[in-house]
């Protein structure tokens, strides 16, 4: 199986953070996006950022910015679809997705997801600690049109779609804190500073 491409999901509206781009918030003097790129880049052969609106605001990252192809901010599945469509143009077979607001995800995320999905016809696996983390997964490009139809039909929940395709999980240990800790509020950002 070919090495996967990556997509960083930053297409949300950050309502609990007061709006704007969570990915551009500073954590320890570095943006969340830079921290996420630093973790993901060594694990994939190429990556893109899924974000809606003017892509120029991310001009400094040096990677493609792709918007949702399904309008209306319908959730992370739309971002995953955008990443799959982009990856298909690169000749990729699989995509690993990560969230832009989760700066501490494991540095071995991709190999562990790929290993979990190794025997599947269409590799589909989600990361898990105490529960599943549906924005962290490996996704088969071969199922992108199935996902598009599901989204156009109104499906929004990630696990509703992944369960239909018998997704497996890759389990990760929780150390002093959950590596999939994500930043949704100013309080979460302060907590992340403490984790640093």
């Amino acid at each position: 199986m070919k090495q996967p491409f990556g997509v960083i999901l930053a297409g949300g509206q950050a309502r609990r953070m007061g709006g704007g781009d969570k990915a551009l918030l500073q954590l320890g003097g570095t943006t969340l996006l830079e921290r996420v790129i630093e973790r993901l880049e060594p694990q994939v052969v190429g990556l893109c950022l899924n974000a809606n609106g003017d892509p120029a605001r991310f001009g400094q990252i040096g990677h493609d910015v792709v918007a949702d192809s399904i309008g209306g901010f319908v959730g992370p599945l739309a971002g995953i679809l955008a990443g799959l469509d982009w990856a298909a143009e690169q000749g990729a077979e699989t995509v690993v997705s990560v969230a832009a607001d989760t700066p501490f995800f494991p540095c071995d995320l991709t190999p562990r997801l790929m290993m979990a999905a190794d025997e599947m016809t269409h590799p589909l696996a989600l990361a898990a600690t105490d529960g599943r983390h549906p924005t962290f997964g490996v996704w088969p490009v071969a199922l992108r049109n199935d996902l598009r139809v599901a989204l156009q039909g109104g499906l929004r929940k990630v696990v509703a779609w992944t369960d239909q395709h018998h997704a497996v999980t890759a389990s990760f240990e929780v150390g002093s804190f959950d590596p999939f800790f994500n930043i949704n509020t100013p309080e979460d950002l302060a907590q992340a500073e403490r984790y640093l």
Side-chain angles (χ1 to χ4, degrees):
M1 190 184 307
K2 287 197 258 183
Q3 278 294 103
F5 280 68
V7 57
I8 299 170
L9 302 173
Q13 295 176 289
R15 287 190 199 99
R16 287 178 281 176
M17 196 58 93
D21 289 303
K22 275 197 290 184
L24 298 179
L25 291 175
Q26 295 277 322
L27 175 63
T30 304
T31 67
L32 292 179
L33 181 57
E34 288 169 313
R35 289 184 180 280
V36 168
I37 289 171
E38 187 179 308
R39 280 187 179 255
L40 183 60
E41 210 163 32
Q43 302 186 50
V44 295
V45 294
L47 64 86
C48 71
L49 175 69
N50 163 245
N52 297 301
D54 184 2
R57 68 194 193 277
F58 298 109
Q60 78 284 1
I61 68 164
H63 294 287
D64 290 344
V65 179
V66 296
D68 294 351
S69 59
I70 308 282
F73 295 98
V74 298
L77 279 176
I80 290 162
L81 176 60
L84 289 170
D85 286 341
W86 171 84
E89 293 170 8
Q90 320 303 314
E93 294 174 359
T94 52
V95 167
V96 170
S97 65
V98 301
D101 62 359
T102 308
F104 308 117
F105 68 85
C107 292
D108 62 349
L109 175 74
T110 294
R112 299 268 300 275
L113 287 168
M114 297 294 283
M115 198 179 315
D118 188 41
E119 300 298 318
M120 301 180 74
T121 305
H122 298 300
L124 185 57
L126 299 178
T129 47
D130 296 332
R132 290 184 288 187
H133 298 284
T135 53
F136 288 82
V138 60
W139 311 85
V141 170
L143 291 181
R144 69 191 173 110
N145 289 325
D146 182 284
L147 177 55
R148 190 182 332 277
V149 169
L151 280 164
Q152 289 167 341
L155 185 127
R156 299 294 177 257
K157 292 187 88 53
V158 176
V159 295
W161 187 76
T162 59
D163 285 352
Q164 288 174 17
H165 295 283
H166 312 291
V168 295
T169 55
S171 294
F172 293 84
E173 295 296 317
V174 173
S176 54
F177 62 91
D178 191 322
F180 297 97
F181 172 83
N182 66 314
I183 296 167
N184 288 315
T185 65
E187 293 74 23
D188 292 340
L189 187 58
Q191 183 65 53
E193 291 281 359
R194 291 190 286 274
Y195 288 154
L196 271 184

